[in-house]
Amino acid sequence: MTHSVENRFLAIVATAVFVLVVPLFVLFLTLSTERAGRELEDHVDVLLAANAQALGKPMWDFDEESVRRIATTVISGGAISKVQIRDTAGALSVALPAMPEWPKGGLRSKSQPIVYETVEGPKVVGSITVYFSRRSFLSSLREAEAAIVAIFLITVLAVIGAAVVGNRMMIVKPLLKLTAAIEATRRLGSRHHVDWHSNDEMGRLAQSFNAMQIKLEQEERELKLAHRRSNEIYNMTPAMLFSIDDDDRITGVSDHWLLATGYSREDVLGTRFSDRIAADAREKYLSRKRERQIGECIWECTTKFICADGRVMDVLIIESSKSVEDEAEALSLSVMTDITALKQSEARNHRQAITDHLTGLMNRQGFESALDEKIAEADAAHTQLACLFIDLDRFKWINDNLGHQAGDSVLKMFVAMLEPLLPQGSVAARLGGDEFAILLLSGDAERTALDVSRRICAIFDAPFLLQGTAARLSASIGIALYPAHAGNAAELLQKSDLAMYSKKRGGKNGARVYDPQLQDSTRQRAEIESFIEAGLENDWFEAFLQPIVDLTDGTVMGYESLMRLNHPQKGLLPPGDIINVAEETGSIVDIGNRILEKALDNLVMLTEATGDDRTYLAVNYSPLQFEPGLPMRLAALTARRNIRPERIVIEITEAMLLRDNPLVHTILEEFKQFGCRIALDDFGTGYSSLSYLNRFPVDIIKIDQSFIRSLTDGQPEKRKKSHLLAEGITDIAHRMGCSVVAEGIESGAQWEIVRDFGCDYGQGYLFARPQRVEDLIEQHQWQQEKSTYVA
């Protein structure tokens, strides 16, 4: 660099000399040469003229010696190189010198005739010719001019030398110092200063450079401090930090990252991060990274990372990247968090969320997810999927009588016996309560489902032993097939549930495959629900009354209130379906309250029409209606209508007593204290227990009509057993101080039999059907008129 600056300076000086000085010097020499040439020619002309005149007489006289003297004089001047004198006749010829030196530039010549003045006048007697050389630049200079030229050249050279020396001292030297400082800074990495002080531009340049170096030193210290602190923060941060480039190569890792993964920094720098992702998760990781949005600054994903010891941990990676202009590489910083424990916790929570804690099977949520997966699996394999919906029959009795702990034990025992029966690949779940579901994949799904159902039903062939009590259960199973019966998961589960309820209503204990006709019963149920809702809103419900007579003389002793729904278009609807649906939906409470008030009004109307205030009203109550305020409400209703409490009979079923609910016992005692009587309806069916007569305040026993019907129907052996049972119930009831009502008497033979073994009262179509109070009043009036006529 130094030589380059100096050479450039010399080139500039040389250029200035050649442009300015040399042309002037050349012009000066040219002018001097021209001047000397003119002076030489003038001298030659004078010399020729003078000598031509002097040679006139010697040439006329043929005085060769004089001619030679004159020729020698001409030569001696130094300017003439050769002189040649000839006469006109050719007799005299003088040439001096005989062998002259010819210059390189050649000779010039000038001639002049020699004239002599004779008496006769001027005559040309000969000629003189002189030869002289051309003047060169330097030869033409005079001494003064040569001195001026020498002084000029010396001055120019002195100026150039001073400029070169000044350039070296004032420019090159500080530049060399500046260059040395820069080179030292570059090589040694430290900031070197320029040792130069002057009040010119170079001094200010050196001062500015030194100030810049000082500032850069300060900035470098700050940068080093910031870098050191950033590295310390990077490594001290309790997180696994790392950076990667655009080729997915690791460019930096924190100490915490190395500590957590077990790698050394030398092992990982420059390697691909994706190579340390577990093989089964690598493609998903790379795919998600490729699919990230362009310009997306924050990107995150979860994957599996392989540690140095081979341990695989679940990690959450959050990458922050930024594109920097004019840089080949973008900035990237990633945080890797070990979420193995969180994943395990999520897995546990997921298992808990989809697992029934009591049985260990899937719960409803898990089953619904599995159902979608199994449907997808069935579609992929082009096979069938069977859904079994299982409901345990009479399970509620165990909870109500033996407690929920016993019920839980039953469920555990059932699942323990169920699981070995299931084919491989099947899915079982507890949907809630005593409801279970099973999924079976098979080419012949219906046959497989029926076979599994038979084995499940066989579980209940033997009773379950609970707290020393043998409890018999059964299972109602509904089967629906995909895709034969349903096109999606919800529909498949709903139709298997529908098939199960159809089996439960049709007799329980067995399996039923879904049939499209079952949809009709579902629609019928929905229709009944709409009828109930409209009936309550439009007051379509009526309280029919069926007389209860004394079996000895047929005298009406009371009336049972029975619910009827009188639809404006469909007429009277069967009460059984309405009661079942109402109890399931909970609307039985509103219906019961409506019927109770109408039945009490009807009793008042009958009393006023017949004048008989001794007949009683039997009112049926659903278990759902038994609430603490029921006795007070009945007391208020009867008091408002001036009906004595003893005229009210509360009919309850054995199912209500099965619960052994303290609230039921308390309400019954309140009814007794109020003055009402208690009747136990449908006695002899279900789980009849004579202990009810001792534990509850029962006044009337109503023998179920199935026993009465069997007294005259069927095989003799059956008639005999039915007779013994009915007679035994009557005898025990009388011994307990209870009256006995025989239900469902439809023939005189039945009347006679029950009267003979001591039944007190009877009820059935033989005496009267349930009817409106207006019909009863009209019938009573007709009998009165008939008696009057006979009398």
Side-chain angles (χ1 to χ4, degrees):
M1 178 178 178
T2 302
H3 295 302
S4 176
V5 170
E6 192 169 16
N7 290 339
R8 289 175 185 175
F9 176 78
L10 292 175
I12 292 172
V13 171
T15 302
V17 168
F18 281 108
V19 171
L20 299 176
V21 177
V22 171
L24 291 176
F25 185 70
V26 172
L27 178 61
F28 175 77
L29 292 178
T30 301
L31 294 175
S32 297
T33 302
E34 289 180 356
R35 178 191 52 76
R38 285 194 301 271
E39 290 178 352
L40 179 61
E41 287 189 3
D42 291 342
H43 174 70
V44 171
D45 289 340
V46 171
L47 185 64
L48 281 175
N51 286 290
Q53 187 177 0
L55 287 172
K57 188 173 187 312
M59 288 297 292
W60 178 261
D61 293 331
F62 290 102
D63 187 359
E64 183 175 356
E65 184 177 352
S66 297
V67 171
R68 286 188 179 274
R69 261 193 323 268
I70 294 171
T72 302
T73 303
V74 173
I75 289 297
S76 65
I80 303 301
S81 299
K82 182 179 179 180
V83 62
Q84 186 173 6
I85 302 171
R86 292 179 181 178
D87 65 350
T88 55
L92 180 62
S93 177
V94 176
L96 293 177
M99 296 293 292
E101 292 183 5
W102 294 90
K104 293 181 180 180
L107 295 176
R108 295 181 63 190
S109 65
K110 271 194 173 189
S111 299
Q112 186 165 335
I114 301 173
V115 179
Y116 179 69
E117 290 290 341
T118 67
V119 178
E120 294 176 359
K123 287 185 179 182
V124 178
V125 293
S127 63
I128 181 169
T129 302
V130 294
Y131 295 89
F132 56 91
S133 62
R134 298 172 182 268
R135 290 285 186 178
S136 63
F137 283 113
L138 297 178
S139 63
S140 63
L141 292 179
R142 300 173 183 173
E143 292 182 2
E145 291 175 344
I148 292 173
V149 170
I151 293 171
F152 178 76
L153 291 176
I154 292 171
T155 302
V156 170
L157 292 176
V159 170
I160 294 174
V164 171
V165 173
N167 175 69
R168 179 174 291 276
M169 295 298 296
M170 303 304 296
I171 296 177
V172 175
K173 187 175 182 180
L175 284 178
L176 289 173
K177 290 180 177 289
L178 179 63
T179 303
I182 294 173
E183 288 293 324
T185 301
R186 181 181 64 82
R187 292 195 308 270
L188 304 178
S190 59
R191 295 290 170 181
H192 286 258
H193 292 219
V194 178
D195 185 15
W196 181 264
H197 303 281
S198 63
N199 293 325
D200 55 7
E201 289 82 356
M202 296 306 297
R204 289 194 295 272
L205 176 62
Q207 184 179 2
S208 299
F209 179 80
N210 292 336
M212 181 187 69
Q213 291 290 73
I214 293 172
K215 186 175 181 181
L216 289 175
E217 285 179 350
Q218 182 180 357
E219 291 179 353
E220 283 184 353
R221 286 194 299 270
E222 292 175 355
L223 285 174
K224 289 178 180 179
L225 178 61
H227 180 68
R228 186 174 68 253
R229 287 180 176 175
S230 65
N231 283 338
E232 290 175 354
I233 293 172
Y234 186 80
N235 290 315
M236 290 175 61
T237 301
M240 290 183 281
L241 305 178
F242 68 96
S243 300
I244 56 176
D245 59 16
D246 293 338
D247 294 329
D248 195 42
R249 297 189 181 277
I250 300 174
T251 58
V253 291
S254 67
D255 292 346
H256 192 79
W257 191 94
L258 298 172
L259 181 64
T261 61
Y263 290 105
S264 63
R265 188 170 274 106
E266 295 76 13
D267 293 337
V268 297
L269 291 182
T271 63
R272 293 188 182 276
F273 181 80
S274 56
D275 291 342
R276 287 176 169 75
I277 302 297
D280 56 346
R282 186 176 303 151
E283 183 58 35
K284 181 179 179 182
Y285 167 79
L286 294 174
S287 175
R288 288 201 52 190
K289 194 157 189 177
R290 286 192 297 266
E291 293 172 359
R292 65 186 297 184
Q293 297 294 328
I294 298 176
E296 186 178 358
C297 296
I298 304 297
W299 174 80
E300 63 180 62
C301 75
T302 56
T303 188
K304 296 182 179 296
F305 184 84
I306 304 175
C307 298
D309 57 1
R311 175 173 52 91
V312 177
M313 63 179 176
D314 293 289
V315 294
L316 168 65
I317 298 175
I318 302 177
E319 179 180 320
S320 176
S321 60
K322 180 180 179 182
S323 298
V324 181
E325 297 181 358
D326 300 328
E327 287 195 13
E329 296 183 357
L331 302 178
S332 169
L333 177 63
S334 301
V335 181
M336 188 169 75
T337 306
D338 184 1
I339 58 171
T340 305
L342 179 60
K343 282 288 187 179
Q344 293 172 349
S345 177
E346 285 181 353
R348 286 194 302 271
N349 292 339
H350 179 67
R351 285 194 299 272
Q352 291 174 359
I354 65 172
T355 302
D356 176 60
H357 302 301
L358 178 65
T359 61
L361 300 178
M362 285 185 177
N363 58 17
R364 178 177 287 274
Q365 178 182 350
F367 179 77
E368 290 174 352
S369 299
L371 183 54
D372 290 330
E373 294 174 0
K374 285 294 182 181
I375 286 179
E377 188 176 341
D379 290 338
H382 303 290
T383 187
Q384 294 179 326
L385 176 66
C387 179
L388 282 68
F389 199 106
I390 305 170
D391 184 85
L392 302 185
D393 304 322
R394 295 184 295 278
F395 179 77
K396 194 173 184 300
W397 180 89
I398 295 176
N399 276 341
D400 292 342
N401 290 271
L402 301 179
H404 289 279
Q405 185 175 1
D408 292 345
S409 298
V410 168
L411 295 177
K412 291 179 182 179
M413 286 189 286
F414 169 65
V415 170
M417 291 184 285
L418 170 68
E419 289 179 328
L421 305 179
L422 300 178
Q424 186 176 2
S426 59
V427 175
R430 181 192 177 201
L431 303 183
D434 60 344
E435 294 181 340
F436 296 83
I438 299 173
L439 297 177
L440 302 171
L441 271 176
S442 174
D444 188 357
E446 182 174 350
R447 182 187 62 79
T448 303
L450 289 173
D451 181 59
V452 172
S453 298
R454 282 191 293 270
R455 284 183 280 170
I456 292 173
C457 291
I459 292 175
F460 303 99
D461 290 344
F464 286 74
L465 296 178
L466 301 168
Q467 302 174 3
T469 302
R472 286 195 171 273
L473 299 173
S474 61
S476 296
I477 305 174
I479 301 172
L481 306 178
Y482 173 87
H485 299 149
N488 55 58
E491 189 179 357
L492 182 65
L493 186 61
Q494 183 260 336
K495 289 185 175 179
S496 62
D497 187 14
L498 189 62
M500 182 276 294
Y501 273 110
S502 174
K503 179 59 183 176
K504 186 176 284 288
R505 288 192 295 268
K508 305 179 181 181
N509 191 27
R512 176 166 294 175
V513 179
Y514 170 79
D515 190 293
Q517 294 180 352
L518 296 178
Q519 292 289 101
D520 296 336
S521 63
T522 303
R523 286 192 291 270
Q524 182 181 3
R525 174 187 170 88
E527 186 179 53
I528 291 174
E529 288 184 11
S530 67
F531 289 163
I532 292 173
E533 183 177 353
L536 289 171
E537 183 177 352
N538 301 307
D539 197 23
W540 294 345
F541 286 98
E542 297 182 7
F544 277 37
L545 300 179
Q546 185 177 27
I548 301 172
V549 303
D550 188 331
L551 292 179
T552 56
D553 55 9
T555 303
V556 176
M557 303 300 296
Y559 301 92
E560 181 178 2
S561 173
L562 299 171
M563 181 275 295
R564 293 293 185 270
L565 194 159
N566 188 9
H567 195 276
Q569 286 80 37
K570 298 182 177 292
L572 293 174
L573 301 179
D577 293 339
I578 294 175
I579 292 174
N580 290 335
V581 173
E583 286 186 337
E584 291 181 12
T585 61
S587 58
I588 191 66
V589 175
D590 294 332
I591 296 174
N593 293 337
R594 188 77 56 86
I595 295 300
L596 174 61
E597 293 189 18
K598 290 193 173 186
L600 293 174
D601 291 339
N602 291 344
L603 181 62
V604 172
M605 293 173 61
L606 275 173
T607 301
E608 293 174 351
T610 63
D612 186 359
D613 62 355
R614 293 173 299 172
T615 54
Y616 68 86
L617 177 68
V619 180
N620 293 282
Y621 276 101
S622 168
L624 298 177
Q625 292 177 271
F626 262 58
E627 53 185 11
L630 182 60
M632 292 298 296
R633 186 172 183 276
L634 181 62
L637 292 175
T638 54
R640 190 181 307 156
R641 292 167 175 79
N642 198 24
I643 299 174
R644 298 190 308 276
E646 61 267 22
R647 296 186 67 189
I648 302 299
V649 173
I650 307 298
E651 288 196 3
I652 59 176
T653 61
E654 290 184 65
M656 189 180 300
L657 301 181
L658 279 173
R659 293 175 173 83
D660 199 13
N661 191 334
L663 178 61
V664 174
H665 193 279
T666 300
I667 293 175
L668 292 177
E669 288 292 343
E670 290 182 2
F671 277 134
K672 287 291 291 183
Q673 293 175 8
F674 177 61
C676 298
R677 288 179 290 171
I678 307 299
L680 186 58
D681 196 11
D682 299 333
F683 191 83
T685 61
Y687 298 94
S688 299
S689 174
L690 295 176
S691 63
Y692 299 150
L693 303 180
N694 185 43
R695 289 156 51 199
F696 296 95
V698 178
D699 300 291
I700 300 173
I701 298 295
K702 299 185 74 173
I703 301 176
D704 187 71
Q705 58 183 342
S706 61
F707 288 99
I708 305 305
R709 192 179 299 114
S710 299
L711 294 176
T712 55
D713 296 341
Q715 299 296 326
E717 184 67 22
K718 184 178 180 181
R719 292 199 299 269
K720 180 179 179 181
K721 290 181 179 179
S722 298
H723 188 282
L724 291 174
L725 286 172
E727 185 176 12
I729 292 171
T730 303
D731 184 56
I732 292 173
H734 285 159
R735 290 177 182 273
M736 300 291 292
C738 299
S739 300
V740 179
V741 177
E743 294 183 297
I745 298 176
E746 298 179 355
S747 66
Q750 294 173 348
W751 183 4
E752 183 178 354
I753 292 172
V754 297
R755 183 183 58 193
D756 289 344
F757 61 63
C759 279
D760 302 300
Y761 308 113
Q763 179 181 354
Y765 289 172
L766 177 64
F767 307 112
R769 290 176 175 270
Q771 51 196 296
R772 293 182 177 89
V773 66
E774 294 83 3
D775 296 336
L776 289 173
I777 292 174
E778 183 180 351
Q779 188 178 32
H780 174 75
Q781 290 175 350
W782 180 81
Q783 289 178 350
Q784 290 288 3
E785 291 175 0
K786 181 179 179 181
S787 299
T788 303
Y789 177 78
V790 172

